[in-house]
Each structure stands twice: as structure tokens, then as C-alpha cells.
Amino acid sequence: MTEELQTGIIRISDDVVATIAGLAALETPGIAAMSGGISEGLAKRLSGKNAQKGVSVEVGQLEAAIDLRIIVKYGIPIQEVCRQLQENVRETVANMTGLHVVEVNIKVEGVAFREEETAAEEAARLK
């Protein structure tokens, strides 16, 4: 996004929008994690951009389109979680950047079971 004002130009990078979208997604109830492919996971780990895992964005002058790859928690209705996710991401990005979010596309790539969630939480605590 680029906005030209009398006092100068405001630019918001694609990486910033992707980070905001990723954090908003993780705050949505029913989302266990973001999903990134093997090559994406390695690239993000090396570049330090882990908050953008599973997120890709296209940002124009005034609009943004966001694609998310997620893993949902087992036992929760997937369509309800995805609708809430779309709304949370759309509102958060719009409020923080002023961009009009034209679409939030979601690809559900997995289901997390309770044992997997517990192991992931324990691993995060030990780090």
C-alpha cells in the first residue's frame, strides 16, 4: 500500500500485512496452527519470518487479497472456524492498515488432535 499525503508517502509492505494476517489467524478460536510447506518452513526459519508461515498476500494501492493455509483443532466445525477466521483477518488488517481486504481465501491442510497440541505446547515451553 502506498498513500501520498501533503507531508509525505506512507508505504506498508506485503510482509507487514502478512504478519498481521498470520497473528490474527492464530488468535482465532479453533485454529491450531498455520501450515507451511517444507520449503516454505525452511525459508521462513532461515529468514526469521515465522509469523508469516502459511500466509501469502497480494497488496495493491488500496486493496489486499490474503491466502491462508491452516490446521484446525479436531472436533470444531470447520466451516464456522473458517468464517470466523475470514472475518477476524479482514477486520484486523483493515483496522491496522486502512486497506480494503477484498478476499480471504482459506485452505485447510490438516486437523490437530489433542495429543499433537499438547506435544507442541510442551515443545514451545521447553525452548
Side-chain angles (χ1 to χ4, degrees):
M1 174 190 151
T2 303
E3 187 175 329
E4 199 165 331
L5 304 171
Q6 290 179 350
T7 57
I9 295 174
I10 298 172
R11 288 193 180 108
I12 301 174
S13 78
D14 293 5
D15 288 345
V16 170
V17 175
T19 299
I20 293 168
L23 293 173
L26 291 173
E27 292 175 353
T28 304
I31 303 298
M34 301 302 290
S35 175
I38 293 171
S39 61
E40 179 183 336
L42 179 60
K44 298 278 169 128
R45 219 174 287 128
L46 294 174
S47 67
K49 296 181 178 179
N50 221 10
Q52 299 169 8
K53 176 181 172 187
V55 181
S56 57
V57 299
E58 292 180 35
V59 180
Q61 293 293 323
L62 302 172
E63 298 178 332
I66 301 168
D67 296 324
L68 303 169
R69 292 184 314 282
I70 61 168
I71 298 172
V72 297
K73 293 180 180 177
Y74 176 77
I76 298 176
I78 292 173
Q79 282 194 311
E80 290 177 24
V81 170
C82 290
R83 282 192 191 107
Q84 183 64 49
L85 173 59
Q86 287 174 318
E87 188 169 322
N88 287 352
V89 170
R90 181 175 281 118
E91 285 180 15
T92 303
V93 171
N95 289 338
M96 291 188 72
T97 65
L99 291 167
H100 173 68
V101 180
V102 293
E103 60 185 30
V104 178
N105 301 309
I106 300 170
K107 181 177 182 184
V108 179
E109 293 192 339
V111 176
F113 298 96
R114 299 215 187 273
E115 294 109 29
E116 293 174 2
E117 292 173 30
T118 305
E121 289 172 5
E122 286 179 23
R125 262 188 310 180
L126 295 174
K127 286 185 180 179

